[in-house]
Amino acid sequence: MERLTVIILICLLAGLSECEEMGDQNQINQNLTTELSYEDTKAENNNDVSADPGSETPATRTVNKTTDQLCEPNIYMVLKELGALEERQKATVRALEETNRKLEASERKVAALNSTLTELRTMYEGQRQVAFSAALPTGTTIGPANFLYPLVYRHVLYNVGGHYSPVTGYFTAPVQGVYYFTFSSFWWGRNTGNSGGSLYHNGNQIVSWYGYSQAHSISGSNSAVLMLQVGDKVNVRLWENRQISDNGNKYCTFSGFLLFPM
C-alpha cells in the first residue's frame, strides 16, 4: 500500500514537471504570438500609435487557458485518488486489527479448552487407576468371636490410588463404576470347628465362603462384580464363632479393582 502511494506521488511530481515545461513553452508561444499580434495590429491599425505591444491578445489567452485545463484536472484527480487510497488503507488497517483481536480471543479460548481437557484427562486417568490386593498378617489365627469380625488385611501387596485402608480393612469407591472383588480364606482345622465369612457392601452381605473339618485344613474363596457409587464401602467379615488362619504363604487375601467407570 505504501509502495503504491509512493508511485502515485512520483507520477504527481512528473505531472507537475510536465506542466512547468508546458508553461515555459507557453511563455515562448506567448512571446511569439505577441510579436505576431503586434505586427498584425500595426499593419491593420496604422493610425493607432498608442497600441501596447505587451498587451494580451485573444490568441494568447487561448493558449494559457488550454495549458491550465491540461494541468489542473490531472492534479486534482491525483489528489482525489490519494485521499481515497488513504481511506481504503485505514479501512484495511482497521479490518486487520479486528481480525487480530478475534484471533487472540480464539487463541485464549483454545488454550482454556486445552487446559480443561488436560485436567479432565488427568482426572479420568487417575480415576481409572484403582486396584488393590492385601493379605492377613502372617502367623496368626483370628476367632472365634461372638460377633461379625471385620477382617483387616494389613499386609498390602498393591494399592494404587490408596483407596484400600490397611487400618480399617475397608475399600472405599473413589468413582461411580463397576468393580471386581475376590477373597480367599484358610484354616488349619486342628481342632473341632469351622470357618466362614462373607463379602459386605455397605453392611450388606453379598457372597460367602464356608468350610468344616475335624482333622484337615480347609480353605475357601469367592468373588463378585459390584456396581458402586462414590463413597461406597466394601470389606470382608468373619462370621460369629468361626476361625481363619494364615502364615508366611499368605493364604488369606482380599483384592479388587475398577473394571470401568460409569
Side-chain angles (χ1 to χ4, degrees):
M1 188 70 69
E2 295 179 355
R3 184 178 179 181
L4 180 59
T5 304
V6 171
I7 293 174
I8 294 176
L9 288 173
I10 292 174
C11 294
L12 176 60
L13 293 174
L16 291 174
S17 299
E18 182 180 353
C19 290
E20 290 177 357
E21 292 177 358
M22 292 179 64
D24 294 339
Q25 184 64 38
N26 178 49
Q27 184 64 36
I28 295 172
N29 293 336
Q30 180 180 353
N31 294 335
L32 180 60
T33 304
T34 301
E35 293 177 358
L36 293 175
S37 299
Y38 177 75
E39 294 295 332
D40 292 341
T41 303
K42 183 178 180 180
E44 292 177 359
N45 301 291
N46 200 22
N47 295 324
D48 190 359
V49 294
S50 63
D52 184 7
S55 63
E56 189 179 53
T57 64
T60 303
R61 287 195 298 271
T62 301
V63 173
N64 292 335
K65 183 176 182 181
T66 302
T67 303
D68 293 339
Q69 289 177 346
L70 288 174
C71 292
E72 293 180 0
N74 291 334
I75 295 173
Y76 295 147
M77 182 173 63
V78 170
L79 293 175
K80 182 178 180 181
E81 183 64 25
L82 283 174
L85 181 61
E86 183 179 3
E87 291 299 323
R88 289 195 297 270
Q89 186 176 9
K90 290 179 180 179
T92 302
V93 170
R94 288 193 296 268
L96 289 174
E97 291 175 349
E98 181 65 22
T99 301
N100 287 336
R101 283 193 294 269
K102 291 180 179 179
L103 287 174
E104 290 174 356
S106 299
E107 289 176 355
R108 287 192 295 270
K109 290 180 180 179
V110 170
L113 287 174
N114 287 336
S115 177
T116 302
L117 287 174
T118 300
E119 293 177 0
L120 291 175
R121 186 182 298 111
T122 302
M123 183 182 302
Y124 178 74
E125 292 175 351
Q127 289 173 350
R128 289 188 62 87
Q129 294 178 0
V130 180
F132 75 95
S133 183
L136 287 178
T138 61
T140 184
T141 296
I142 300 173
N146 59 357
F147 59 92
L148 284 172
Y149 188 91
L151 296 175
V152 180
Y153 299 81
R154 300 187 186 280
H155 189 79
V156 176
L157 305 176
Y158 189 70
N159 190 19
V160 62
H163 304 295
Y164 170 75
S165 171
V167 176
T168 64
Y170 282 86
F171 169 80
T172 304
V175 295
Q176 176 181 323
V178 177
Y179 296 77
Y180 175 81
F181 297 96
T182 183
F183 58 90
S184 62
S185 67
F186 179 81
W187 181 60
W188 294 112
R190 295 170 181 172
N191 300 313
T192 300
N194 51 36
S195 178
S198 300
L199 179 73
Y200 283 81
H201 171 210
N202 289 341
N204 300 313
Q205 186 178 3
I206 304 301
V207 294
S208 305
W209 90 89
Y210 174 76
Y212 172 80
S213 176
Q214 291 184 347
H216 303 287
S217 300
I218 56 178
S219 63
S221 64
N222 214 330
S223 59
V225 174
L226 301 177
M227 173 66 184
L228 303 183
Q229 304 297 323
V230 177
D232 282 2
K233 296 183 180 299
V234 178
N235 76 325
V236 179
R237 302 179 186 181
L238 185 67
W239 291 344
E240 296 179 12
N241 300 316
R242 302 299 195 272
Q243 291 178 298
I244 190 170
S245 304
D246 208 342
N247 60 17
N249 293 323
K250 299 181 180 63
Y251 296 114
C252 303
T253 61
F254 176 38
S255 304
F257 55 86
L258 174 65
L259 289 174
F260 52 86
M262 297 290 289

